[in-house]
Amino acid sequence: MDIRIIKTKRQYRLYLEEVQRLVPLDPDPRSAEGARLELLAKLVEDYEKERFKFRKPDPVEAILFRMEERGLRQTDIAEIVGGKNRASEVLSRKRPLTLAMVRALHEKLGIPSELLIREPRAEYRVERKPRKTRNAG
């Protein structure tokens, strides 16, 4: 097999199959097969990074994903973010995360802090109650 930069799906599949064949053999990196595996793996990785781009989740999506993954409920998150109301407001995108919440979610749930500090996909909706005015009468 002549090794070149991957340009087609067919070429990608062939290289990937060759990587999958070589990996279980665990060739010495200094051997010809080891060098071949390293080169093919790098080409496959580069192709995948270019073709299969994933968008990063916003903070709320990251929290919801981790909750689902660990079988957590909103009450479990409430303990981390400072109460039921705060958890509800955060998960409904009415309240942004504070630095303390980011730290707690990162430490307790292992959510990468760089995901938690991202801007949310939707704007936070903060509703203000109208002020009562006094009648000057």
Side-chain angles (χ1 to χ4, degrees):
M1 174 190 304
D2 186 25
I3 301 175
R4 299 173 189 254
I5 294 175
I6 301 174
K7 295 182 180 178
T8 66
K9 287 181 184 179
R10 182 179 178 282
Q11 193 178 17
Y12 165 72
R13 284 192 299 272
L14 288 172
Y15 285 20
L16 185 60
E17 286 171 9
E18 183 69 4
V19 166
Q20 291 169 339
R21 184 188 72 77
L22 290 171
V23 166
L25 301 177
D26 193 22
D28 185 317
R30 295 170 296 211
S31 71
E33 282 206 327
R36 180 181 179 82
L37 173 58
E38 186 176 354
L39 176 59
L40 288 170
K42 177 67 176 146
L43 291 170
V44 166
E45 179 184 18
D46 290 349
Y47 181 86
E48 289 174 346
K49 280 182 181 176
E50 182 63 32
R51 299 291 192 279
F52 308 124
K53 294 182 181 175
F54 297 98
R55 71 170 178 82
K56 292 181 181 175
D58 78 354
V60 175
E61 291 169 339
I63 296 167
L64 292 171
F65 175 80
R66 190 54 51 98
M67 287 172 65
E68 184 178 328
E69 185 180 61
R70 294 191 179 180
L72 301 174
R73 296 182 322 259
Q74 187 169 316
T75 55
D76 302 312
I77 298 302
E79 295 171 11
I80 298 171
V81 298
K84 288 189 241 176
N85 288 342
R86 283 193 183 150
S88 176
E89 290 171 346
V90 165
L91 295 176
S92 65
R93 301 174 190 275
K94 291 180 180 176
R95 176 189 287 262
L97 293 172
T98 64
L99 182 57
M101 290 177 192
V102 168
R103 285 183 179 139
L105 289 163
H106 172 69
E107 290 172 12
K108 295 187 180 8
L109 298 181
I111 301 172
S113 53
E114 60 270 12
L115 292 180
L116 295 170
I117 61 173
R118 290 172 50 96
E119 285 296 319
R121 299 232 182 277
E123 294 292 317
Y124 287 110
R125 297 175 306 275
V126 178
E127 295 178 19
R128 287 195 158 149
K129 292 182 182 178
R131 287 182 150 178
K132 292 183 180 179
T133 56
R134 290 186 211 177
N135 291 341

